[in-house]
């Protein structure tokens, strides 16, 4: 077996990995990056590219007033909603850390040539406009390519991390598999940035038995939970693993310019509303059927996004013919589209049919023939489970103790998962906390404080075995069990 040694090894090069590599290299560390694909970027280069920043320069330029505590309150509200279905836990300190550090991420990205065009309003999620749309998601990759060309950074492409190496409880490197065979990479800091487990249906189903968790998946197919498994094997504590939210699979940037109709030819929900509500609305339709409808201008501009949809689009020269093709009443579809165009012409921001908020410049009418309909399909894009970490992004083990030498960021983190429903926190969270994880790994930041664990505090008196009667009477009463 070949051997390499370095200061920091970063596993995965999505936004979290790219930022970790850049930060560790900037600290002067000798860095090895391991990437299963042939290039850097991970999921973010294929994404819609909506990024949330708190107190950013872009907000200041537009006179928008934001602050970390408002963001924390927004996150708490969305997490509470997700908690009802998924039993989410949220790490408020981590949410606050992201909130504090995200403005710097905006500065770093823009200094590296990434451009943002406008804010995407999501008033029900973000009470202040703070989610910015990137002009070209590919620039996330070009922004970080120079770091991977630095003399103190080596990158192993088409190489998969398989197992962590440990020595006396400390993580000391990783075994990888690549074109040159197996290699052992020794390091004093390992950053898990391998993304989520969304491309691994078996793992999704293990944590989320809901049938929707087995649905189709859109995204990079190497995100199979390898980091989660490797970290778990050395004791890492995973949280929020059940949060495999079903989504109507569609890029947010396509949704902005589309309306959705049901088998009666009518709109039936706020197309850009919270993900959960979109799924509920679709599942509530006869035959669970719905279609996104766009005109020719949108279809041409967003052809790639339409091509990524799970089921093929259909096109017709008129709305009436489109209606016949998809089996909905022609007059109803024409009336729906007419109503939508009429609403856009008023200049009002709130759509009277569904309450959808549409701000300029995202006010595209559906007027130019031919017209396109794309079947709506429920599946999975993201998962939110990952490791508990300290504030220096060190992975915490199942007994509450930080694991020396092991750090996690991006979709390998669990504690930020509750913010997912807000929108825009995944890529920005990856860049922000990835930067902190890379820096901490390079500096060798080590936190030894033992946290609470599911087992309880590690106190000698608690080691005495006692027989305990756990009172579940309230839960039985709630569930209507008549014992
Ligand atoms: C269609 C789509 C649209 C999206 N839109 C948005 C959006 O608008 N806003 C937002 O915030 N989020 C969005 N997301 C989600 C976002 O892209 C991800 O959550 C984010 O990229 C996660 O960052 P990451 O660095 O943790 O992992 P990823 O970007 O998933 O990258 C992980 C990397 O690790 C590599 N890897 C995996 N296993 C191994 C291994 N064993 N060894 C070596 N390398 C490995 C993978 O090849 C990949 O390059 C979208 C995702 C998709 C699919």
């Amino acid at each position: 077996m070949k051997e390499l040694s370095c200061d920091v090894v970063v596993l995965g090069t999505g936004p979290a990995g790219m930022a970790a590599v850049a930060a560790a290299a900037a600290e002067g560390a000798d860095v090895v990056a391991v990437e299963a694909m042939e290039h850097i970027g991970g999921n973010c280069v294929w994404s819609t590219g909506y990024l949330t920043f708190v107190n950013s320069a872009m907000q200041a330029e537009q006179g928008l007033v934001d602050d970390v505590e408002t963001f924390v309150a927004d996150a708490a509200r969305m997490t509470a909603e997700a908690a009802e279905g998924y039993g989410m836990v949220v790490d408020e300190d981590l949410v606050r850390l992201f909130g504090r550090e995200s403005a710097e991420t905006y500065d770093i990205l823009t200094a590296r040539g990434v451009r943002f065009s406008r804010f995407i309003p999501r008033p029900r999620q973000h009470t202040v406009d703070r989610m910015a749309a990137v002009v070209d998601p590919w620039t996330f990759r070009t922004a970080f390519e120079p770091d991977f060309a630095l003399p103190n950074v080596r990158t192993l492409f088409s190489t998969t991390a398989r197992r962590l190496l440990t020595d006396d409880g400390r993580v000391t490197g990783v075994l990888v598999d690549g074109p040159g065979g197996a290699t052992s990479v020794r390091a004093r800091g390992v950053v898990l940035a391998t993304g989520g487990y969304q491309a691994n249906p078996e793992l999704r189903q293990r944590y989320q038995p809901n049938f929707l968790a087995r649905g189709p998946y859109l995204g990079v197919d190497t995100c199979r939970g390898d980091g989660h498994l490797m970290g778990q094997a050395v004791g890492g504590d995973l949280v929020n693993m059940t949060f495999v939210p079903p989504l109507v699979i569609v890029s947010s940037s396509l949704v902005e310019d589309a309306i959705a109709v049901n088998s009666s030819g009518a709109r039936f929900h706020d197309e850009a509303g919270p993900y959960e509500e979109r799924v509920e609305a679709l599942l509530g339709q006869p035959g669970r059927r719905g279609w996104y409808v766009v005109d020719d201008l949108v279809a041409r501009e967003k052809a790639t996004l339409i091509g990524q949809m799970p089921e093929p689009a259909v096109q017709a020269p008129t709305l009436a013919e489109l209606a016949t093709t998809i089996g909905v009443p022609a007059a109803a579809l024409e009336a729906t589209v007419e109503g939508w165009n009429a609403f856009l012409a008023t200049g009002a921001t709130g759509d009277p049919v569904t309450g959808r908020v549409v701000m300029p410049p995202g006010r595209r009418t559906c007027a130019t023939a031919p017209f396109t309909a794309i079947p709506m399909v429920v599946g999975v894009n993201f998962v939110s489970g990952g490791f508990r970490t300290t504030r220096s992004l060190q992975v915490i083990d199942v007994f509450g103790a930080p694991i020396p030498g092991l750090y996690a960021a991006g979709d390998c983190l669990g504690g930020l998962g509750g913010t997912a429903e807000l929108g825009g926190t995944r890529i920005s969270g990856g860049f922000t906390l990835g930067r902190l994880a890379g820096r901490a790994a390079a500096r060798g930041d080590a936190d030894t404080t033992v946290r609470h664990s599911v087992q309880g505090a590690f106190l000698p008196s608690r080691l005495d075995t006692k027989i305990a009667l756990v009172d579940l009477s309230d839960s039985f009463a709630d569930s209507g069990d008549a014992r």
Side-chain angles (χ1 to χ4, degrees):
M1 186 181 310
K2 284 194 289 188
E3 295 212 353
L4 285 178
S5 72
C6 60
D7 297 319
V8 175
V9 59
V10 177
L11 312 182
T13 61
M18 291 192 292
V21 166
E27 290 289 318
D30 182 18
V31 182
V32 169
V34 179
E35 172 52 56
M37 298 173 79
E38 290 163 0
H39 53 78
I40 62 170
N43 270 300
C44 71
V45 291
W46 312 107
S47 75
T48 311
Y50 289 172
L51 275 72
T52 290
F53 306 105
V54 184
N55 257 335
S56 66
M58 183 164 160
Q59 286 176 306
E61 280 157 20
Q62 299 191 20
L64 293 163
V65 180
D66 198 2
D67 67 89
V68 173
E69 292 313 312
T70 307
F71 173 72
V72 172
D74 287 348
R77 201 181 59 255
M78 295 311 289
T79 307
E81 284 182 24
E84 282 179 23
Y86 296 99
M88 301 288 291
V89 292
V90 70
D91 183 340
E92 201 176 299
D93 289 346
L94 207 58
V95 174
R96 199 165 271 114
L97 183 65
F98 163 73
R100 272 204 309 271
E101 296 283 336
S102 59
E104 189 177 334
T105 303
Y106 175 83
D107 296 341
I108 292 171
L109 291 175
T110 48
R112 287 166 173 246
V114 178
R115 295 284 165 259
F116 295 91
S117 57
R118 64 200 168 99
F119 285 113
I120 304 295
R122 290 278 189 275
R124 292 174 61 195
Q125 291 101 314
H126 294 286
T127 51
V128 180
D129 276 353
R130 58 167 84 94
M131 187 164 78
V134 78
V135 172
D136 176 4
W138 203 254
T139 54
F140 291 135
R141 179 169 149 179
T142 48
F144 284 89
E145 273 168 352
D147 301 279
F148 287 78
L150 290 170
N152 55 334
V153 175
R154 284 168 285 174
T155 311
L156 310 178
F157 286 116
S158 305
T159 300
T160 304
R162 300 283 186 203
R163 297 283 187 280
L164 295 176
L165 301 169
T166 56
D167 191 359
D168 197 20
R170 180 180 181 89
V171 172
T172 53
V174 61
L175 283 182
V176 304
D177 229 349
T183 304
S184 131
V185 185
R186 293 279 170 187
R188 55 183 171 75
V190 177
V191 180
L192 295 175
T194 49
Y197 45 100
Q198 61 271 41
N200 185 337
E202 199 181 328
L203 206 49
R204 280 195 242 150
Q205 202 190 344
R206 181 166 299 184
Y207 287 100
Q208 179 50 266
N210 184 319
F211 77 101
L212 293 170
R214 300 195 302 271
Y217 157 70
L218 175 69
V220 163
D221 67 2
T222 41
C223 291
R224 298 181 49 81
D226 292 354
H228 293 67
L229 295 173
M230 287 187 282
Q232 199 179 14
V234 298
D237 196 11
L238 291 168
V239 292
N240 292 334
M241 293 295 282
T242 56
F243 196 51
V244 183
L247 296 175
V248 178
I249 293 191
V250 65
S251 151
S252 300
S253 120
L254 178 59
V255 155
E256 261 175 55
D257 297 336
I259 53 169
V261 298
N262 60 13
S263 53
S264 307
R267 287 181 62 226
F268 58 96
H269 69 309
D270 170 357
E271 292 89 343
Y275 297 131
E276 201 180 327
E277 290 180 17
R278 299 189 210 176
V279 172
E280 272 171 26
L282 179 60
L283 297 184
Q285 298 311 304
R288 298 179 163 179
R289 301 184 73 198
W291 294 264
Y292 288 115
V293 175
V294 295
D295 77 354
D296 191 47
L297 298 182
V298 174
R300 282 172 191 276
E301 189 182 306
K302 311 235 159 141
T304 310
L305 300 176
I306 292 173
Q308 287 171 353
M309 295 289 278
E311 288 191 18
V314 291
Q315 207 172 55
T318 64
L319 280 172
E321 285 167 272
L322 187 69
T324 308
T325 312
I326 60 176
V328 311
L333 181 63
E334 285 173 336
T336 297
V337 170
E338 200 177 307
W340 176 248
N341 291 341
F343 151 65
L344 292 180
T346 63
T349 52
D351 140 48
V353 178
T354 67
R356 174 171 166 184
V357 175
V358 193
M359 304 290 244
R363 299 178 70 87
R364 306 278 296 264
T365 54
C366 184
T368 309
F371 297 94
T372 299
I374 313 138
M376 298 173 76
V377 174
V378 176
V380 172
N381 260 36
F382 334 101
V383 290
S384 288
F387 292 106
R388 288 176 69 205
T389 58
T390 65
R391 299 295 72 74
S392 33
L393 287 311
Q394 210 180 327
V395 175
I396 294 174
D397 79 7
V398 291
F399 299 119
I403 301 175
L406 188 62
Y407 304 81
D411 285 354
C412 280
L413 276 185
L416 206 63
T419 65
E421 290 285 287
L422 283 168
T425 57
R426 291 171 178 275
I427 298 175
S428 185
F431 281 131
T432 303
L433 300 181
R435 178 174 82 244
L436 302 187
R439 187 189 298 160
R443 292 180 181 173
D445 290 352
D447 182 340
T448 52
T449 317
V450 177
R451 271 62 180 185
H452 82 276
S453 75
V454 179
Q455 189 195 38
F458 187 80
L459 298 170
S461 60
R462 299 285 296 274
L463 291 176
D464 300 339
T465 308
K466 298 191 192 96
I467 293 175
L469 180 65
V470 181
D471 186 0
L472 292 176
S473 49
D474 285 349
S475 346
F476 279 108
D478 285 349
S479 69
D481 186 309
R483 286 194 297 163

